[in-house]
Amino acid sequence: MLMVSALTAGMWAQAPASSEAAGASASQTVTTAPPSVAAKPSASIVPAPPTPREVAEARKQFSAGTKLASAGKTDAAFEKFKTASQLDPRSVEYATACELTRQQLVMEALDQGNKALLAKNEVVATAEFRRALEFDPTNEFARQRLRDAIWAEDSASGRTLQVVQKSIEIALAPESTRRDFHFKGDARTLLTQVARAYGITATVDDSVRSRALRFDIDHVTFAEAMEAATRVTKTFWIALSGSQMYVVADTPENRRNFERLAIRTFYLSNIVTPQELTELVNALRVILDIRFISQNAAQSTITVRAPQPVVEAASQLVESLAGGRPQVMLDVRVYQVSSSLVRKLGMQLPNQFTMFNLSPALLASVTGTSAQNLVNQLIASGGINQANSQAIQALLAQLQQSSLSSILTTPFATFGGGLTLMGVNETPPLTGNFQVNESDVRSLEHVNLLASQNTPSLLRIGERYPLVNATFAPIYNTAAISQVIGNQSYVAPFPSFSFEDLGFNLKATPIIHSNTDVSLKIELNIRTLGAQSVNGIPIILNREYSGSITLKNEESGVVAGLISKADSRSLSGYPFLSRVPGVSYAASVHDKNVNDDELLVVMTPHIVRMAKEEGITVQLPMGH
């Protein structure tokens, strides 16, 4: 809400003149009408009687109006009755029908306006009340309801300027006639005669120099005549009352002493930062050339001291800027589709073999000949009982197992004979692969973000993942450290870590143009936690976009798009058999890995509030 307090200061008070005197300079007519002519009453005009043709046409219009009124077409019936009354003004019947229909239309318009106002449709209510005033301009009730409708509309639009204290403005009330001036003489006499011609008493200050001049102007109002007179005499005037004025020389010192000054304090609730308040102060100082202006950032207020018309202009400028910045609702949609396929098919045949010679010594060690000799010696010495055959068999099995070579523990095939007996085993064994892993992920991020004009708006959706930077542990093992470790009271120092934002992060800065175009400066990134890590620190997957685009209001646009495809195939098996179509899968393993990622970011701006486009018009008083 914007509130304004106003106080006036100055030796003489001056304000914008009334509707006739405020818009232009003063002027005086030397040629005036004699009092006898001015006092002569005007003769009354009696209208001529209607002709027979007009009487017949009036009767025809009245008959048509009666039929339209019976059919419920009141607007058309009123036009017919009005035409009939104009053609035959002596007919009381026509005038009565016209007036009754007029009042009926007024009541209908008021009824419709009241209903619309109750429904909070101020636009329709305003139109209906204005329609009622068109039929009956003297209807005060319709005029008051029109004020209520306009007030309700203004309050709904969020007007933020209120005047809590204001001085009474003094305005001249000259005659509204036009005069002709043909003067030759002294400047001071010219000013008094021009003012006297319109019923104003002018007091000329001693600072006005007396010099001879000639002044000729025809058919001018008071505002036009005084504007011309003050220019040729280099003076300006101040209103003392409705019929008195004070004229002084136009000098900087007289401006400071006699100009009407006002002081107002503007409170701006929509100002967020001190920088915005400073920018508004600079705008007032540059545009309106205000020298005495101060700001209070703690209370968000601006105090202005300047002539009354300049203060009024500052009020309108502040009101236009204090209605709130333009705002836009950003509709952001992020589409992400990810699919992966991992397939492994085929037979994995052994491609490494170990060949060894089966010599008699190796066979003897395998069959346990040396172990049998050791058992015989144990029996002869009485170490074991020969009758206990189960113990002897267990000992032989244990000795045989411990003496077997690792080559002979796996299955193998032999070929040859005698000293050339050879053995062959395969490494690794024969395996079959029939594996398929397929995944399909579709995700949609739908975000609505409200942003103001040229103000960054930040949105973060996701989580903050901690990353450990350093840990602390004791280096030297002292007695104190051993004691706390022994009694389990040792508390390790808190590690050092940082947080990383994961998820959806969006920063948008809009600029809303007058033609409803929206320029956006966008910083967008999508971060997720990867499956791999480096030195215990996980890898963060990042997708980021930074740029500027311009979109129409309610128009969707693709901000960023990404398509990533990866297709890898591998083949492992025998060199020649893996290429044969019929036995390819039986003699080799086929690996296929396909990854397909698609990312699309679509943004649609919806303008919520636009800047006011009304012009600021300020009418300065004469002499300014």
Side-chain angles (χ1 to χ4, degrees):
M1 179 179 181
L2 177 62
M3 301 180 65
V4 182
S5 63
L7 297 174
T8 58
M11 181 180 298
W12 302 103
Q14 177 180 355
S18 58
S19 59
E20 286 294 332
S25 318
S27 99
Q28 175 175 355
T29 309
V30 171
T31 305
T32 58
S36 60
V37 176
K40 182 178 180 180
S42 59
S44 59
I45 300 175
V46 178
T51 62
R53 184 177 180 179
E54 291 177 344
V55 172
E57 181 65 22
R59 189 180 300 108
K60 181 179 178 181
Q61 294 291 332
F62 179 76
S63 178
T66 304
K67 294 179 181 179
L68 291 173
S70 300
K73 300 179 180 180
T74 312
D75 292 341
F78 172 70
E79 295 297 332
K80 297 295 183 180
F81 292 150
K82 183 178 179 182
T83 304
S85 179
Q86 291 175 353
L87 291 174
D88 189 1
R90 299 179 304 175
S91 176
V92 179
E93 183 181 8
Y94 299 165
T96 304
C98 179
E99 187 62 27
L100 290 176
T101 309
R102 183 200 307 273
Q103 295 302 322
Q104 182 179 355
L105 290 174
V106 171
M107 295 304 297
E108 290 179 357
L110 290 175
D111 184 60
Q112 294 295 331
N114 291 330
K115 291 180 180 179
L117 198 59
L118 290 176
K120 296 184 178 180
N121 192 347
E122 291 83 5
V123 176
V124 176
T126 303
E128 292 295 335
F129 293 142
R130 285 177 178 172
R131 179 167 167 264
L133 286 175
E134 288 178 0
F135 290 119
D136 187 6
T138 62
N139 194 313
E140 292 299 330
F141 179 74
R143 195 178 305 277
Q144 180 60 40
R145 296 303 290 165
L146 177 61
R147 295 193 192 100
D148 297 340
I150 295 177
W151 176 85
E153 181 180 2
D154 289 342
S155 63
S157 62
R159 296 186 65 86
T160 57
L161 181 62
Q162 291 186 0
V163 179
V164 298
Q165 185 177 359
K166 186 176 181 179
S167 60
I168 300 176
E169 298 180 358
I170 303 175
L172 289 176
E175 297 178 1
S176 59
T177 57
R178 291 182 176 269
R179 308 290 187 184
D180 299 333
F181 293 93
H182 302 284
F183 176 83
K184 184 178 180 180
D186 183 67
R188 299 170 62 91
T189 305
L190 171 65
L191 294 171
T192 56
Q193 288 188 5
V194 169
R196 188 183 302 114
Y198 296 94
I200 302 297
T201 302
T203 303
V204 183
D205 188 70
D206 294 338
S207 61
V208 179
R209 293 189 303 170
S210 177
R211 58 189 182 90
L213 51 83
R214 186 171 181 174
F215 186 76
D216 295 302
I217 191 170
D218 297 328
H219 198 63
V220 292
T221 62
F222 170 78
E224 296 169 349
M226 283 303 299
E227 176 67 19
T230 54
R231 285 187 179 182
V232 298
T233 58
K234 296 182 179 180
T235 58
F236 72 97
W237 59 269
I238 306 98
L240 302 180
S241 65
S243 60
Q244 293 180 340
M245 60 185 296
Y246 192 77
V247 184
V248 296
D250 192 358
T251 61
E253 183 179 1
N254 286 339
R255 288 282 184 179
R256 289 193 299 268
N257 293 334
F258 294 100
E259 265 191 333
R260 177 181 177 85
L261 297 180
I263 181 171
R264 290 190 183 180
T265 300
F266 303 93
Y267 170 66
L268 301 103
S269 60
N270 293 322
I271 296 297
V272 179
T273 61
Q275 182 181 359
E276 296 180 5
L277 193 65
T278 304
E279 292 176 355
L280 182 57
V281 169
N282 294 334
L284 293 174
R285 182 179 287 113
V286 173
I287 296 175
L288 300 177
D289 193 19
I290 301 176
R291 293 180 300 170
F292 305 103
I293 183 171
S294 61
Q295 64 182 23
N296 189 338
Q299 299 181 0
S300 298
T301 59
I302 297 177
T303 303
V304 176
R305 185 167 68 92
Q308 183 70 24
V310 179
V311 173
E312 295 294 340
S315 300
Q316 296 186 29
L317 181 59
V318 170
E319 181 184 8
S320 64
L321 298 178
R325 292 191 174 188
Q327 292 182 347
V328 60
M329 179 69 72
L330 300 178
D331 189 351
V332 185
R333 298 174 184 265
V334 180
Y335 303 92
Q336 185 174 4
V337 178
S338 300
S339 60
S340 63
L341 174 63
V342 178
R343 187 177 64 188
K344 192 173 186 180
L345 300 177
M347 299 293 295
Q348 185 174 359
L349 300 178
N351 51 16
Q352 294 181 1
F353 301 93
T354 303
M355 184 180 295
F356 52 90
N357 180 261
L358 296 175
S359 62
L362 180 61
L363 294 176
S365 63
V366 173
T367 54
T369 304
S370 58
Q372 183 66 34
N373 295 333
L374 179 60
V375 172
N376 293 334
Q377 293 178 5
L378 290 174
I379 294 174
S381 62
I384 58 176
N385 188 2
Q386 189 176 3
N388 191 358
S389 59
Q390 294 181 353
I392 296 175
Q393 290 178 1
L395 178 60
L396 289 174
Q398 183 177 2
L399 291 174
Q400 184 179 2
Q401 184 176 3
S402 62
S403 63
L404 287 178
S405 173
S406 60
I407 299 177
L408 301 179
T409 57
T410 59
F412 62 92
T414 61
F415 63 92
L419 296 175
T420 61
L421 181 63
M422 304 295 293
V424 178
N425 65 353
E426 43 84 20
T427 304
L430 177 66
T431 57
N433 295 279
F434 302 95
Q435 179 182 358
V436 175
N437 186 1
E438 184 176 2
S439 64
D440 190 1
V441 178
R442 292 181 174 86
S443 63
L444 168 64
E445 294 283 350
H446 187 190
V447 179
N448 289 326
L449 180 64
L450 182 62
S452 299
Q453 172 84 337
N454 203 22
T455 302
S457 296
L458 181 61
L459 176 66
R460 292 176 178 174
I461 301 176
E463 60 182 4
R464 304 196 70 192
Y465 187 80
L467 298 177
V468 178
N469 299 327
T471 57
F472 304 94
I475 300 177
Y476 300 101
N477 189 8
T478 62
I481 294 177
S482 300
Q483 181 179 0
V484 297
I485 293 177
N487 58 20
Q488 297 181 356
S489 62
Y490 174 74
V491 178
F494 198 75
S496 173
F497 61 91
S498 61
F499 285 98
E500 187 71 23
D501 292 326
L502 301 181
F504 181 84
N505 300 320
L506 173 63
K507 182 180 179 181
T509 304
I511 298 178
I512 305 173
H513 304 282
S514 59
N515 60 349
T516 69
D517 287 351
V518 181
S519 297
L520 297 172
K521 183 179 180 182
I522 303 171
E523 296 180 10
L524 172 67
N525 62 70
I526 301 175
R527 296 183 179 179
T528 57
L529 195 64
Q532 300 178 355
S533 61
V534 177
N535 295 330
I537 300 176
I539 296 177
I540 297 176
L541 305 180
N542 185 34
R543 294 177 179 179
E544 187 171 350
Y545 168 80
S546 178
S548 300
I549 62 172
T550 301
L551 299 173
K552 291 284 187 182
N553 185 31
E554 309 291 340
E555 178 186 59
S556 299
V558 178
V559 176
L562 174 64
I563 297 178
S564 176
K565 293 185 177 182
D567 190 351
S568 62
R569 300 172 186 267
S570 63
L571 178 66
S572 61
Y574 292 149
F576 302 104
L577 295 178
S578 60
R579 299 293 182 180
V580 178
V583 294
S584 176
Y585 286 95
S588 61
V589 178
H590 296 256
D591 290 335
K592 182 179 181 180
N593 193 346
V594 179
N595 292 320
D596 189 356
D597 293 335
E598 296 182 8
L599 177 65
L600 190 66
V601 180
V602 180
M603 188 171 293
T604 306
H606 304 279
I607 296 179
V608 177
R609 181 171 60 191
M610 285 287 293
K612 296 181 179 179
E613 297 183 359
E614 305 124 12
I616 298 176
T617 303
V618 179
Q619 195 170 27
L620 298 179
M622 292 72 69
H624 286 266

PDB file of all heavy atoms in Angstrom, residues 172-175 191-202 222 241-245:
ATOM      1  N   LEU A 172      -8.178  30.545  -8.831  1.00  0.00           N
ATOM      2  CA  LEU A 172      -8.904  31.701  -9.336  1.00  0.00           C
ATOM      3  C   LEU A 172     -10.202  31.255  -9.999  1.00  0.00           C
ATOM      4  O   LEU A 172     -10.306  30.144 -10.506  1.00  0.00           O
ATOM      5  CB  LEU A 172      -8.043  32.466 -10.343  1.00  0.00           C
ATOM      6  CG  LEU A 172      -6.840  33.241  -9.789  1.00  0.00           C
ATOM      7  CD1 LEU A 172      -6.061  33.855 -10.941  1.00  0.00           C
ATOM      8  CD2 LEU A 172      -7.283  34.317  -8.807  1.00  0.00           C
ATOM      9  N   ALA A 173     -11.172  32.180 -10.013  1.00  0.00           N
ATOM     10  CA  ALA A 173     -12.459  31.920 -10.662  1.00  0.00           C
ATOM     11  C   ALA A 173     -12.765  33.075 -11.617  1.00  0.00           C
ATOM     12  O   ALA A 173     -13.625  33.925 -11.342  1.00  0.00           O
ATOM     13  CB  ALA A 173     -13.568  31.762  -9.633  1.00  0.00           C
ATOM     14  N   PRO A 174     -12.039  33.169 -12.746  1.00  0.00           N
ATOM     15  CA  PRO A 174     -12.286  34.280 -13.684  1.00  0.00           C
ATOM     16  C   PRO A 174     -13.536  34.031 -14.501  1.00  0.00           C
ATOM     17  O   PRO A 174     -14.100  32.940 -14.519  1.00  0.00           O
ATOM     18  CB  PRO A 174     -11.029  34.270 -14.547  1.00  0.00           C
ATOM     19  CG  PRO A 174     -10.619  32.836 -14.559  1.00  0.00           C
ATOM     20  CD  PRO A 174     -10.969  32.283 -13.211  1.00  0.00           C
ATOM     21  N   GLU A 175     -13.966  35.081 -15.190  1.00  0.00           N
ATOM     22  CA  GLU A 175     -15.100  34.945 -16.090  1.00  0.00           C
ATOM     23  C   GLU A 175     -14.696  34.098 -17.300  1.00  0.00           C
ATOM     24  O   GLU A 175     -13.540  34.107 -17.726  1.00  0.00           O
ATOM     25  CB  GLU A 175     -15.564  36.336 -16.553  1.00  0.00           C
ATOM     26  CG  GLU A 175     -16.072  37.198 -15.411  1.00  0.00           C
ATOM     27  CD  GLU A 175     -16.470  38.588 -15.902  1.00  0.00           C
ATOM     28  OE1 GLU A 175     -16.356  38.826 -17.125  1.00  0.00           O
ATOM     29  OE2 GLU A 175     -16.882  39.415 -15.068  1.00  0.00           O
ATOM     30  N   LEU A 191      -0.916  44.317 -16.993  1.00  0.00           N
ATOM     31  CA  LEU A 191      -1.268  43.182 -16.135  1.00  0.00           C
ATOM     32  C   LEU A 191      -2.561  43.448 -15.368  1.00  0.00           C
ATOM     33  O   LEU A 191      -3.415  42.563 -15.245  1.00  0.00           O
ATOM     34  CB  LEU A 191      -0.124  42.894 -15.165  1.00  0.00           C
ATOM     35  CG  LEU A 191       1.180  42.390 -15.815  1.00  0.00           C
ATOM     36  CD1 LEU A 191       2.313  42.340 -14.792  1.00  0.00           C
ATOM     37  CD2 LEU A 191       0.982  41.004 -16.424  1.00  0.00           C
ATOM     38  N   THR A 192      -2.718  44.664 -14.842  1.00  0.00           N
ATOM     39  CA  THR A 192      -3.939  44.963 -14.091  1.00  0.00           C
ATOM     40  C   THR A 192      -5.163  45.012 -14.994  1.00  0.00           C
ATOM     41  O   THR A 192      -6.251  44.564 -14.611  1.00  0.00           O
ATOM     42  CB  THR A 192      -3.767  46.307 -13.368  1.00  0.00           C
ATOM     43  OG1 THR A 192      -3.431  47.336 -14.330  1.00  0.00           O
ATOM     44  CG2 THR A 192      -2.663  46.217 -12.322  1.00  0.00           C
ATOM     45  N   GLN A 193      -5.034  45.545 -16.233  1.00  0.00           N
ATOM     46  CA  GLN A 193      -6.174  45.617 -17.129  1.00  0.00           C
ATOM     47  C   GLN A 193      -6.587  44.236 -17.637  1.00  0.00           C
ATOM     48  O   GLN A 193      -7.785  43.958 -17.774  1.00  0.00           O
ATOM     49  CB  GLN A 193      -5.849  46.552 -18.300  1.00  0.00           C
ATOM     50  CG  GLN A 193      -5.794  48.018 -17.942  1.00  0.00           C
ATOM     51  CD  GLN A 193      -5.657  48.894 -19.174  1.00  0.00           C
ATOM     52  OE1 GLN A 193      -5.703  48.392 -20.296  1.00  0.00           O
ATOM     53  NE2 GLN A 193      -5.499  50.209 -18.957  1.00  0.00           N
ATOM     54  N   VAL A 194      -5.624  43.376 -17.916  1.00  0.00           N
ATOM     55  CA  VAL A 194      -5.957  42.025 -18.364  1.00  0.00           C
ATOM     56  C   VAL A 194      -6.711  41.273 -17.278  1.00  0.00           C
ATOM     57  O   VAL A 194      -7.716  40.597 -17.532  1.00  0.00           O
ATOM     58  CB  VAL A 194      -4.678  41.271 -18.790  1.00  0.00           C
ATOM     59  CG1 VAL A 194      -4.973  39.794 -19.005  1.00  0.00           C
ATOM     60  CG2 VAL A 194      -4.092  41.880 -20.042  1.00  0.00           C
ATOM     61  N   ALA A 195      -6.262  41.384 -16.039  1.00  0.00           N
ATOM     62  CA  ALA A 195      -6.945  40.703 -14.937  1.00  0.00           C
ATOM     63  C   ALA A 195      -8.321  41.298 -14.695  1.00  0.00           C
ATOM     64  O   ALA A 195      -9.297  40.572 -14.444  1.00  0.00           O
ATOM     65  CB  ALA A 195      -6.087  40.780 -13.678  1.00  0.00           C
ATOM     66  N   ARG A 196      -8.441  42.668 -14.772  1.00  0.00           N
ATOM     67  CA  ARG A 196      -9.720  43.315 -14.510  1.00  0.00           C
ATOM     68  C   ARG A 196     -10.765  42.934 -15.559  1.00  0.00           C
ATOM     69  O   ARG A 196     -11.964  42.887 -15.269  1.00  0.00           O
ATOM     70  CB  ARG A 196      -9.542  44.829 -14.472  1.00  0.00           C
ATOM     71  CG  ARG A 196     -10.798  45.576 -14.005  1.00  0.00           C
ATOM     72  CD  ARG A 196     -10.619  47.072 -14.033  1.00  0.00           C
ATOM     73  NE  ARG A 196      -9.487  47.478 -13.208  1.00  0.00           N
ATOM     74  CZ  ARG A 196      -8.382  48.023 -13.713  1.00  0.00           C
ATOM     75  NH1 ARG A 196      -8.263  48.224 -15.025  1.00  0.00           N
ATOM     76  NH2 ARG A 196      -7.406  48.379 -12.908  1.00  0.00           N
ATOM     77  N   ALA A 197     -10.339  42.666 -16.804  1.00  0.00           N
ATOM     78  CA  ALA A 197     -11.284  42.312 -17.862  1.00  0.00           C
ATOM     79  C   ALA A 197     -12.033  41.024 -17.551  1.00  0.00           C
ATOM     80  O   ALA A 197     -13.129  40.797 -18.077  1.00  0.00           O
ATOM     81  CB  ALA A 197     -10.554  42.196 -19.196  1.00  0.00           C
ATOM     82  N   TYR A 198     -11.487  40.170 -16.704  1.00  0.00           N
ATOM     83  CA  TYR A 198     -12.140  38.902 -16.357  1.00  0.00           C
ATOM     84  C   TYR A 198     -12.617  38.875 -14.906  1.00  0.00           C
ATOM     85  O   TYR A 198     -12.875  37.804 -14.348  1.00  0.00           O
ATOM     86  CB  TYR A 198     -11.173  37.736 -16.593  1.00  0.00           C
ATOM     87  CG  TYR A 198     -10.777  37.574 -18.042  1.00  0.00           C
ATOM     88  CD1 TYR A 198      -9.615  38.162 -18.517  1.00  0.00           C
ATOM     89  CD2 TYR A 198     -11.569  36.849 -18.921  1.00  0.00           C
ATOM     90  CE1 TYR A 198      -9.246  38.032 -19.845  1.00  0.00           C
ATOM     91  CE2 TYR A 198     -11.194  36.700 -20.252  1.00  0.00           C
ATOM     92  CZ  TYR A 198     -10.037  37.292 -20.717  1.00  0.00           C
ATOM     93  OH  TYR A 198      -9.687  37.156 -22.035  1.00  0.00           O
ATOM     94  N   GLY A 199     -12.698  40.038 -14.294  1.00  0.00           N
ATOM     95  CA  GLY A 199     -13.217  40.118 -12.936  1.00  0.00           C
ATOM     96  C   GLY A 199     -12.212  39.746 -11.875  1.00  0.00           C
ATOM     97  O   GLY A 199     -12.610  39.380 -10.763  1.00  0.00           O
ATOM     98  N   ILE A 200     -10.912  39.861 -12.133  1.00  0.00           N
ATOM     99  CA  ILE A 200      -9.861  39.514 -11.180  1.00  0.00           C
ATOM    100  C   ILE A 200      -9.115  40.786 -10.812  1.00  0.00           C
ATOM    101  O   ILE A 200      -8.769  41.612 -11.676  1.00  0.00           O
ATOM    102  CB  ILE A 200      -8.894  38.472 -11.780  1.00  0.00           C
ATOM    103  CG1 ILE A 200      -9.665  37.221 -12.193  1.00  0.00           C
ATOM    104  CG2 ILE A 200      -7.799  38.127 -10.783  1.00  0.00           C
ATOM    105  CD1 ILE A 200     -10.343  36.492 -11.066  1.00  0.00           C
ATOM    106  N   THR A 201      -8.821  40.925  -9.529  1.00  0.00           N
ATOM    107  CA  THR A 201      -8.032  42.057  -9.038  1.00  0.00           C
ATOM    108  C   THR A 201      -6.576  41.627  -8.932  1.00  0.00           C
ATOM    109  O   THR A 201      -6.246  40.686  -8.194  1.00  0.00           O
ATOM    110  CB  THR A 201      -8.545  42.526  -7.674  1.00  0.00           C
ATOM    111  OG1 THR A 201      -9.927  42.888  -7.795  1.00  0.00           O
ATOM    112  CG2 THR A 201      -7.748  43.714  -7.173  1.00  0.00           C
ATOM    113  N   ALA A 202      -5.704  42.326  -9.667  1.00  0.00           N
ATOM    114  CA  ALA A 202      -4.289  41.969  -9.701  1.00  0.00           C
ATOM    115  C   ALA A 202      -3.490  42.988  -8.920  1.00  0.00           C
ATOM    116  O   ALA A 202      -3.626  44.204  -9.122  1.00  0.00           O
ATOM    117  CB  ALA A 202      -3.792  41.900 -11.135  1.00  0.00           C
ATOM    118  N   PHE A 222      -9.170  33.878 -20.271  1.00  0.00           N
ATOM    119  CA  PHE A 222      -8.317  34.417 -19.219  1.00  0.00           C
ATOM    120  C   PHE A 222      -6.961  33.695 -19.186  1.00  0.00           C
ATOM    121  O   PHE A 222      -5.911  34.335 -19.043  1.00  0.00           O
ATOM    122  CB  PHE A 222      -9.034  34.289 -17.874  1.00  0.00           C
ATOM    123  CG  PHE A 222      -8.163  34.602 -16.695  1.00  0.00           C
ATOM    124  CD1 PHE A 222      -7.878  35.926 -16.363  1.00  0.00           C
ATOM    125  CD2 PHE A 222      -7.609  33.589 -15.924  1.00  0.00           C
ATOM    126  CE1 PHE A 222      -7.059  36.224 -15.277  1.00  0.00           C
ATOM    127  CE2 PHE A 222      -6.804  33.870 -14.846  1.00  0.00           C
ATOM    128  CZ  PHE A 222      -6.531  35.200 -14.523  1.00  0.00           C
ATOM    129  N   SER A 241      -6.872  34.416  -3.751  1.00  0.00           N
ATOM    130  CA  SER A 241      -8.245  33.992  -3.485  1.00  0.00           C
ATOM    131  C   SER A 241      -8.902  33.738  -4.828  1.00  0.00           C
ATOM    132  O   SER A 241      -8.240  33.744  -5.873  1.00  0.00           O
ATOM    133  CB  SER A 241      -8.999  35.058  -2.681  1.00  0.00           C
ATOM    134  OG  SER A 241      -9.143  36.247  -3.442  1.00  0.00           O
ATOM    135  N   GLY A 242     -10.234  33.560  -4.808  1.00  0.00           N
ATOM    136  CA  GLY A 242     -10.909  33.294  -6.056  1.00  0.00           C
ATOM    137  C   GLY A 242     -10.929  34.469  -7.000  1.00  0.00           C
ATOM    138  O   GLY A 242     -11.092  34.295  -8.215  1.00  0.00           O
ATOM    139  N   SER A 243     -10.746  35.700  -6.477  1.00  0.00           N
ATOM    140  CA  SER A 243     -10.804  36.887  -7.323  1.00  0.00           C
ATOM    141  C   SER A 243      -9.591  37.784  -7.168  1.00  0.00           C
ATOM    142  O   SER A 243      -9.600  38.920  -7.638  1.00  0.00           O
ATOM    143  CB  SER A 243     -12.071  37.690  -6.989  1.00  0.00           C
ATOM    144  OG  SER A 243     -12.060  38.097  -5.622  1.00  0.00           O
ATOM    145  N   GLN A 244      -8.531  37.333  -6.491  1.00  0.00           N
ATOM    146  CA  GLN A 244      -7.345  38.142  -6.277  1.00  0.00           C
ATOM    147  C   GLN A 244      -6.110  37.354  -6.684  1.00  0.00           C
ATOM    148  O   GLN A 244      -6.022  36.139  -6.440  1.00  0.00           O
ATOM    149  CB  GLN A 244      -7.220  38.568  -4.804  1.00  0.00           C
ATOM    150  CG  GLN A 244      -8.317  39.520  -4.354  1.00  0.00           C
ATOM    151  CD  GLN A 244      -8.159  39.907  -2.892  1.00  0.00           C
ATOM    152  OE1 GLN A 244      -7.480  39.214  -2.141  1.00  0.00           O
ATOM    153  NE2 GLN A 244      -8.784  41.008  -2.493  1.00  0.00           N
ATOM    154  N   MET A 245      -5.139  38.081  -7.244  1.00  0.00           N
ATOM    155  CA  MET A 245      -3.886  37.467  -7.657  1.00  0.00           C
ATOM    156  C   MET A 245      -2.743  38.429  -7.385  1.00  0.00           C
ATOM    157  O   MET A 245      -2.946  39.648  -7.297  1.00  0.00           O
ATOM    158  CB  MET A 245      -3.939  37.110  -9.148  1.00  0.00           C
ATOM    159  CG  MET A 245      -4.157  38.281 -10.084  1.00  0.00           C
ATOM    160  SD  MET A 245      -4.361  37.790 -11.814  1.00  0.00           S
ATOM    161  CE  MET A 245      -2.766  37.079 -12.140  1.00  0.00           C
TER     162      MET A 245
END
